[in-house]
Amino acid sequence: MPRFSFTAAFLAGLGLFLAPLPTADAFGPKPNMVQQTAQSRLLGEFARFATLSDGTVGIAVRDLNNGETLQLNGDTLFPMASTYKVAVAGKILSLADAGTLRFDEKLARLGTPLTVTMLLDLMLTRSDNEATDALVARAGGPQAVNGWLQSIGIRGQRVDSNTAQLLARAKLGGGSAGDEAESTLSSRLRDARDMPNIAFAADPRDTSTPRAMNDLLSAIQHGKALKGASTAMLLGIMSRCKTGKARLVGMLPPGTPVAHKTGTLNGLGNDTGIITLPDGRMIAISVFVMKDHRGHAARDRIMAEVARAAYDYFLFAPDLRTA
């Protein structure tokens, strides 16, 4: 068979199942046909994983070396939940970089003074809400955290609240306006059934797009947000994350380095982080699920499936080349 016919048949076979799919953003060299087919297959997998939820799934993955980005609903706003704590840590570390905060400085958590270092560890590895709010206050409040995001060029992500305020809003919205008893009942039902708060999911406060969260991870990893020591400290703490064992890390090969942060509310599950491949390359990945009624196991599986598919794609897909 002539070579051109074999190539055409091979590519056609790879693309038999493909329908119109979410777009891929490729930064750098234009991908050739084999690369485009590989991208389409991955985007098809993302769309398939999203059917595990009856809500909205947002996915963004990015090669931090060449900037290649693939996404599904990557520019849709999602409640960050506890993933906003990455921005809180960034603001705190920026204060240390500026010489206006010491890591041995003690702040009160539940009335017990703890060092900033200990609070950062509790916030990022265990998602401790009291530690977070002590750090938010020391940072200058939510507006100061949001200002830091703006200062490093992050668009599509905003911080409006501390954790206590965010959780209070998440519990409201199910009842009639001003009807506290009905709202409380609705909140209890959501808690018992892991049901989403649709009004909260539609609130633009404390939200991020998956793309913007990857922008933040990229700025951190590339040293555009913090000094070198602070960057290493932040990613080092995130690599010891204790939550979300069934999420991004759930289906990756054992021992794969992952620096990540989870977020969880009723009907909502998030995980965002940086995965290091065996050859040392890094990929940023953010997976958000909202308005979901199918439960945390289904949401966790979506995150795990996405992470493994992205891992395999970036490890084995053909390199970007000009057509």
Side-chain angles (χ1 to χ4, degrees):
M1 178 183 293
R3 184 175 179 180
F4 74 89
S5 298
F6 174 82
T7 302
F10 173 72
L11 293 176
L14 284 176
L16 280 176
F17 73 97
L18 295 176
L21 294 169
T23 60
D25 298 316
F27 298 96
K30 180 181 178 181
N32 59 27
M33 286 300 297
V34 174
Q35 182 73 15
Q36 289 176 354
T37 300
Q39 289 176 340
S40 295
R41 289 176 66 89
L42 180 62
L43 291 168
E45 289 292 272
F46 288 173
R48 183 171 67 86
F49 301 148
T51 65
L52 296 172
S53 171
D54 63 352
T56 304
V57 176
I59 301 166
V61 296
R62 181 181 305 173
D63 184 325
L64 292 179
N65 178 48
N66 62 24
E68 180 188 0
T69 297
L70 297 99
Q71 60 178 28
L72 170 70
N73 296 323
D75 294 312
T76 299
L77 288 173
F78 290 78
M80 286 189 285
S82 286
T83 61
Y84 97 100
K85 296 170 183 178
V86 177
V88 176
K91 173 59 178 177
I92 287 292
L93 289 166
S94 75
L95 295 177
D97 287 347
T100 59
L101 175 146
R102 300 190 322 273
F103 291 121
D104 62 357
E105 181 179 335
K106 291 188 176 181
L107 307 174
R109 172 190 173 273
L110 299 176
T112 302
L114 296 175
T115 65
V116 169
T117 299
M118 295 176 67
L119 292 169
L120 284 169
D121 191 270
L122 286 168
M123 176 176 70
L124 294 173
T125 66
R126 302 181 184 278
S127 209
D128 186 289
N129 292 335
E130 287 76 20
T132 302
D133 286 354
L135 291 170
V136 170
R138 178 61 180 85
Q143 295 74 23
V145 178
N146 195 63
W148 177 75
L149 288 171
Q150 297 297 309
S151 74
I152 61 172
I154 305 303
R155 303 293 181 263
Q157 180 173 143
R158 54 184 280 185
V159 175
D160 300 272
S161 314
N162 65 18
T163 315
Q165 294 163 340
L166 188 154
L167 292 176
R169 286 208 333 275
K171 290 182 178 297
L172 298 176
S176 302
D179 189 340
E180 184 176 350
E182 185 176 347
S183 182
T184 299
L185 177 61
S186 298
S187 175
R188 289 175 179 172
L189 285 173
R190 286 196 300 271
D191 288 345
R193 300 178 184 177
D194 190 15
M195 295 169 57
N197 182 337
I198 302 301
F200 175 79
D203 191 329
R205 289 174 291 179
D206 300 298
T207 58
S208 179
T209 67
R211 183 199 294 270
M213 188 63 79
N214 279 1
D215 288 343
L216 176 57
L217 295 174
S218 178
I220 291 169
Q221 174 60 40
H222 289 137
K224 296 178 180 179
L226 301 165
K227 293 183 178 179
S230 291
T231 297
M233 181 179 183
L234 175 54
L235 295 178
I237 298 174
M238 289 175 64
S239 71
R240 302 195 302 273
C241 183
K242 306 295 183 186
T243 59
K245 295 301 184 184
R247 296 188 184 183
L248 291 183
V249 301
M251 294 183 182
L252 294 176
T256 299
V258 184
H260 69 117
K261 181 71 195 77
T262 58
T264 306
L265 288 169
N266 289 341
L268 183 152
N270 302 333
D271 206 356
T272 182
I274 296 174
I275 299 171
T276 301
L277 301 177
D279 60 8
R281 287 180 295 134
M282 296 181 178
I283 58 174
I285 179 168
S286 296
V287 186
F288 296 160
V289 185
M290 67 176 173
K291 303 178 184 178
D292 176 77
H293 296 81
R294 295 185 181 172
H296 70 87
R299 297 192 290 269
D300 289 357
R301 182 183 169 191
I302 291 169
M303 295 178 238
E305 294 272 18
V306 168
R308 184 55 194 250
Y311 176 96
D312 290 343
Y313 167 81
F314 285 109
L315 186 60
F316 298 115
D319 291 334
L320 282 173
R321 297 189 181 92
T322 55

